[in-house]
Amino acid sequence: MSRFGRTCLGAAAGLLIDRVMGEPPAAAHPVAEFGKAMGHVEQALWADRRWAGAAYAAAGVAIGAAGGRLMKSTATAVAMTAAGRELRRVAKRIGEAAASGDLAAARAELPTLVGRDPAGLDDSGIAAAVIESVAENSVDAVIAPAFWGAVAGAPGAAVYRAVNTMDAMVGRCNERYRNFGWASARLDDAANYIPARIFAVLVAVLHQERARRIVDAVRRDAPCHPSPNAGVAEAAMAAALDRQLGGPLSYEGEPQERPFLGCGARPEPEDIEAAVRLADRVEVAAVGLLVLAWLIDRLMA
């Protein structure tokens, strides 16, 4: 069996470990420790220049690669960097609160998933925000860690999570990070490019009766989204659920015009459960795909 076969099997095992055990406690989570370390790096390197941000990103990649080498096990690295179980658990809890009419509780929990301002969102706005987050973060927290774990083993999964964490920390397009966060944001775009499209393909495979609409939505609507990857995942989810996502929102107090994704009705809180079920099935399909790659590699060997 080749190294690629072993890393595919390890990535599948890592996703299964996350499904069973979930994330480690925040106090002991390697990603939280990485975030603290990068906070110190930012203090040392920050300047309103792209070269400073590139140095920051390079330091984060080096730390991530070193951490992955120390872990050695692809399964361990993917399990530590994936978060599909927690994503779906939080999304389901917000959906249940919104569906029961407790919009205050839903709004209070929403910032754990999305960065948009929750105060002005009605039940449909909350549903749209949660479903969009489930789609985008199923790429970030499931498909991408497993993909990079399969491609490059434990260092690949760890470096991916480092890049994704740096983007969350400094990739925002505000005055402080417009230049400093540029390199981290572009790295994250590159790292998620293939995983986002794998997610869309798996959604289409799982909803073959709507596959044509999913493909059309991704081709038509995703290019209008400011993210080259989030738009792909969200458009695929919108078409699969026959709902319309996207539209104007407020982020950090600033109104933003976002494209509409899909052609259905606006989502309701009850649609969150359907999105969570679909994301869960996508993860199971990803595990199956990785195991299939391992089997093919073993037969060829």
Side-chain angles (χ1 to χ4, degrees), residues 72-272:
K72 296 182 180 179
S73 165
T74 300
T76 300
V78 171
M80 291 293 102
T81 56
R85 173 173 167 158
E86 181 66 9
L87 167 66
R88 294 187 295 270
R89 184 186 70 83
V90 174
K92 187 175 180 179
R93 191 168 64 219
I94 297 173
E96 289 171 349
S100 69
D102 191 354
L103 298 188
R107 293 189 188 105
E109 184 120 23
L110 194 59
T112 61
L113 285 184
V114 299
R116 71 190 64 181
D117 301 327
L121 296 179
D122 59 10
D123 58 350
S124 181
I126 291 170
V130 173
I131 294 170
E132 289 165 23
S133 179
V134 168
E136 179 181 1
N137 288 307
S138 288
V139 175
D140 293 355
V142 177
I143 302 300
F147 172 80
W148 288 109
V151 169
V159 167
Y160 169 74
R161 180 52 63 203
V163 168
N164 189 248
T165 302
M166 289 189 292
D167 178 59
M169 294 176 68
V170 305
R172 292 162 288 178
C173 192
N174 57 28
E175 287 303 317
R176 177 173 175 82
Y177 295 126
R178 183 167 285 109
N179 288 312
F180 185 79
W182 182 86
S184 295
R186 298 292 78 75
L187 272 177
D188 186 70
D189 287 344
N192 280 309
Y193 188 87
I194 295 175
R197 285 143 185 86
I198 292 174
F199 175 84
V201 169
L202 291 177
V203 169
V205 169
L206 291 170
H207 279 270
Q208 294 184 28
E209 75 284 359
R210 303 189 63 82
R212 181 72 259 173
R213 293 187 184 184
I214 292 168
V215 171
D216 289 345
V218 170
R219 287 179 173 175
R220 180 187 66 242
D221 300 334
C224 301
H225 197 281
S227 166
N229 303 314
V232 171
E234 292 171 17
M237 179 69 82
L241 299 180
D242 194 23
R243 293 293 182 265
Q244 184 189 68
L245 301 176
L249 56 83
S250 177
Y251 186 82
E252 294 185 344
E254 296 185 5
Q256 293 189 9
E257 289 296 324
R258 294 288 179 90
F260 289 104
L261 307 167
C263 300
R266 293 298 291 178
E268 298 297 332
E270 292 76 11
D271 295 316
I272 294 175

Side-chain angles (χ1 to χ4, degrees), residues 34 37-38 41 45 54-70 154-156 158-163 166 187:
F34 174 79
M38 293 312 296
V41 174
L45 294 180
Y56 169 90
V61 167
I63 293 171
R69 291 192 185 96
L70 287 174
V159 167
Y160 169 74
R161 180 52 63 203
V163 168
M166 289 189 292
L187 272 177

